[in-house]
Amino acid sequence: MDPDWRPFHPSPSKPAFIPPIGAVDAHCHVFGPGHRFPYASERKYTPCDAPKEKLNALRDHLGFSRNVIVQATCHGADNRALVDALQTSNGFARGVATVTAEVSDEELARLHSAGVRGARFNFVKRLVDVLPVDTLVKIAERIEKFGWHVVIYFESRELAGLYDLFSSLPTTVVVDHMGRPDVTRPVDGPEFDLFVRLMRENPNFWTKVSCPERLSKSGPPGYTDVLPFSKHLIENFPDRVLWGTDWPHPNMKSHMPDDGKLVDLIPQIAPTEELQKKLLIDNPYRLYWPEIFESIRIAE
Ligand code: 0GY
């Protein structure tokens, strides 16, 4: 398959916003390099190689300390690039893997010791051949004992049909990119309200207030149409939100964002230091580094 990617931004700006010390980028990817970690044959797009060294350099440049690396569909359920990045991270990266219904307990344990703390299920129809409904239920029950959570990615128009299934999940559930709202609709309208209801009625649900570049119609650098949605979720669920760059922005067709400018949006959606600390420190540590979170709390 020919590459259909835009290269990630070659020289992102230095953000004016300085994240709190220890901040976590809780949604980013590593891809390939393809000659070492080949892309999945069933993939719907071919990403640009985005090796761990580049991710680590970006993390430092943006003023972050840790990453949560998320398996994307272009690598299918072959988690080797992810595991390699985790195992060489000195504990500064944790991961979210994709597993099949046939995964063994030994494999789950191996992924856990590499640093995986969640399993991702992609319900975006343009990205997968079959929606992982059965796998989700089976795996959610099995990963509970590892203390893992489920990550789900879906289009907002699918939520009504999936609402009961999602609400039945026993683990913590993290929703990617705010459930992909149509940001041309009002933030207090019925569509986004269904997502807010999912969060309100299910205290085990968290969401990433990520990807303005993917959701925006108004475009860069301000992504002003997306910000009210992120702000609303942070204000209403300050203890269940995560933030991430989504570097290297796979499958982005319209434009490639400047990651420094994405970081500069944080104070607009989380205007107080308290909210910023929850978003970038407390929440991601609670989910991905609970052992460190406890020691921070004792120190405070
Ligand atoms: C993202 C978004 C996308 C891709 C994937 O797993 C994936 O391939 O999630 C997308 O195309 O919206 O989070 O990276």
Side-chain angles (χ1 to χ4, degrees), residues 27-29 31 44-45 70-75 98 120 122 124 126-128 153 155 176-177 180 208 210-211 214 246-252:
H27 186 97
C28 50
H29 307 282
F31 294 141
K44 303 296 179 206
Y45 63 88
V70 176
Q71 180 78 353
T73 52
C74 54
H75 270 305
T98 296
R120 187 178 195 219
N122 207 313
V124 176
R126 64 185 159 78
L127 293 172
V128 289
Y153 187 32
E155 298 278 3
D176 279 344
H177 315 336
R180 292 191 61 96
K208 292 176 197 160
S210 44
C211 270
R214 232 176 252 291
D246 194 33
W247 186 89
H249 314 283
N251 210 18
M252 274 292 289

Side-chain angles (χ1 to χ4, degrees), residues 38-232:
Y39 299 110
S41 55
E42 74 276 15
R43 69 192 183 276
K44 303 296 179 206
Y45 63 88
T46 302
C48 93
D49 280 346
K52 61 189 178 189
E53 294 81 5
K54 294 272 183 200
L55 176 63
N56 294 344
L58 179 78
R59 175 197 65 199
D60 297 348
H61 174 74
L62 297 178
F64 283 70
S65 300
R66 291 168 193 263
N67 293 318
V68 180
I69 305 174
V70 176
Q71 180 78 353
T73 52
C74 54
H75 270 305
D78 175 349
N79 296 294
R80 280 178 296 168
L82 168 67
V83 165
D84 173 67
L86 297 179
Q87 285 176 332
T88 52
S89 74
N90 290 323
F92 284 89
R94 289 269 149 94
V96 175
T98 296
V99 292
T100 65
E102 291 74 42
V103 67
S104 64
D105 272 355
E106 291 70 31
E107 175 64 2
L108 290 176
R110 197 182 68 84
L111 290 169
H112 187 85
S113 65
V116 170
R117 294 294 179 269
R120 187 178 195 219
F121 299 89
N122 207 313
F123 288 83
V124 176
K125 287 179 177 160
R126 64 185 159 78
L127 293 172
V128 289
D129 290 324
V130 184
L131 298 194
V133 176
D134 295 339
T135 320
L136 169 61
V137 173
K138 276 193 197 129
I139 298 291
E141 284 164 2
R142 290 185 50 210
I143 63 178
E144 237 189 319
K145 61 175 175 288
F146 290 93
W148 287 17
H149 57 275
V150 158
V151 174
I152 47 178
Y153 187 32
F154 57 85
E155 298 278 3
S156 56
R157 61 176 173 275
E158 310 287 347
L159 178 57
L162 293 164
Y163 193 97
D164 291 343
L165 170 73
F166 290 163
S167 300
S168 73
L169 294 169
T171 60
T172 294
V173 180
V174 180
V175 179
D176 279 344
H177 315 336
M178 305 188 282
R180 292 191 61 96
D182 176 348
V183 298
T184 63
R185 301 197 180 170
V187 73
D188 55 359
E191 186 197 81
F192 195 56
D193 200 48
L194 186 65
F195 181 65
V196 173
R197 181 151 75 83
L198 181 75
M199 291 287 295
R200 199 183 310 113
E201 288 181 353
N202 297 281
N204 57 324
F205 270 63
W206 296 44
T207 189
K208 292 176 197 160
V209 288
S210 44
C211 270
E213 72 281 9
R214 232 176 252 291
L215 302 171
S216 181
K217 300 282 187 284
S218 62
Y223 305 112
T224 48
D225 49 354
V226 181
L227 304 189
F229 292 80
S230 325
K231 198 160 184 261
H232 186 82

